[in-house]
Amino acid sequence: RKLILLDSIYSLHGRVAPLGQIVPIAKKYGAEIYIDEAHATGCFGKNGHGLAEHFGVEHQIDFQMGTFSKALAGEGGYLVGSKAQCDFFRIACPTYIFNTSLSPAIAAGLIAVLDVVRDEPELRLSLQSNATMFRDALTDMGYDLLGSESHIVPVRFYNEHRAKEAARYLYENGIYAPPYYYPAVGENEAMVRINLTATHKVEQIEKTIDIFEKIKSIMGTGEPAKP
């Protein structure tokens, strides 16, 4: 048996997996597909089901998992598959069998949140608009966003020192964006990561853009000269 495992949206780079291309290849070679929708659930798709729904391949994914702790603001997670697969996992997964069940309050809250995700698509439109506005502005400034196509926007500063200095400057100006550096990312990919939300105001995004403009004037945006 062959199994392709992948994230639909990658948590640090914000890159989007080309599911529309991956699914036909998997079917051609008889492979099953297991995707982690943790960063896409509630954010993509007509009904907020994730990137598989966004690409129209939702019913061609064999295993679809995600979390309740990000866009849905709860705790726990989910796995969607056939009845036979789910019955097997209930018996065979120690992390499921020996885990504590969600409390009734958390479960009720998640049901209410899923109703919001389904009934208020304008939140997803706002999220995508905010992300596009921010990405376009920083790209125009010359920043490398490492191929992000989502609300997760890495801003590359190449080395650890520059990333930490950028994060410190952002924090001093009211923006919390922690730095990431090797071994969390590649040696030349040190970054700060910005996460956009549906409820960010335009003026908040503009303020953040202005701060990155100031950072650019201090340290630039390009790859530092090699010693």
Side-chain angles (χ1 to χ4, degrees):
R1 296 179 67 180
K2 296 178 284 290
L3 180 65
I4 299 172
L5 298 97
L6 69 158
D7 292 74
S8 62
I9 295 180
Y10 291 88
S11 61
L12 280 178
H13 294 90
R15 294 171 185 151
V16 171
L19 294 179
Q21 300 173 40
I22 291 171
V23 168
I25 293 173
K27 299 306 176 186
K28 178 180 178 180
Y29 292 99
E32 295 176 304
I33 302 175
Y34 183 113
I35 64 170
D36 181 348
E37 293 267 35
H39 295 87
T41 303
C43 301
F44 283 86
K46 180 180 178 180
N47 299 291
H49 293 178
L51 208 67
E53 183 186 42
H54 174 77
F55 281 114
V57 296
E58 185 176 16
H59 299 295
Q60 300 179 63
I61 303 296
D62 301 281
F63 306 94
Q64 184 174 339
M65 64 156 290
T67 180
F68 295 137
S69 64
K70 297 188 184 299
L72 305 186
E75 63 182 47
Y78 65 87
L79 174 66
V80 179
S82 69
K83 182 179 185 303
Q85 290 166 343
C86 291
D87 286 345
F88 171 79
F89 284 125
R90 286 191 182 97
I91 297 169
C93 289
T95 50
Y96 177 83
I97 296 172
F98 299 110
N99 203 1
T100 302
S101 299
L102 293 177
S103 72
I106 292 293
L110 288 167
I111 291 171
V113 170
L114 290 172
D115 289 341
V116 171
V117 169
R118 180 194 62 208
D119 297 336
E120 300 183 27
E122 62 271 17
L123 290 172
R124 283 187 292 285
L125 295 176
S126 175
L127 174 63
Q128 301 308 325
S129 176
N130 287 344
T132 299
M133 173 186 174
F134 184 75
R135 292 197 313 267
D136 287 351
L138 265 70
T139 299
D140 289 344
M141 282 186 219
Y143 282 106
D144 181 0
L145 307 185
L146 292 163
S148 171
E149 300 176 70
S150 69
H151 49 282
I152 300 170
V153 185
V155 185
R156 187 179 187 180
F157 286 97
Y158 295 91
N159 66 55
E160 179 179 337
H161 173 72
R162 285 161 56 86
K164 287 181 175 179
E165 282 298 297
R168 180 185 61 80
Y169 190 87
L170 285 162
Y171 185 77
E172 290 173 351
N173 286 274
I175 306 296
Y176 180 63
Y180 293 86
Y181 41 85
Y182 184 82
V185 296
E187 289 186 354
N188 200 34
E189 289 188 355
M191 66 173 76
V192 296
R193 185 182 68 168
I194 302 293
N195 295 314
L196 281 300
T197 73
T199 54
H200 275 132
K201 306 296 183 186
V202 169
E203 53 267 28
Q204 293 173 318
I205 299 172
E206 289 176 340
K207 173 186 175 182
T208 308
I209 291 169
D210 288 342
I211 294 171
F212 273 100
E213 187 72 66
K214 293 174 182 175
I215 292 173
K216 175 185 174 181
S217 69
I218 296 169
M219 64 174 67
T221 62
E223 183 176 2
K226 296 180 181 179

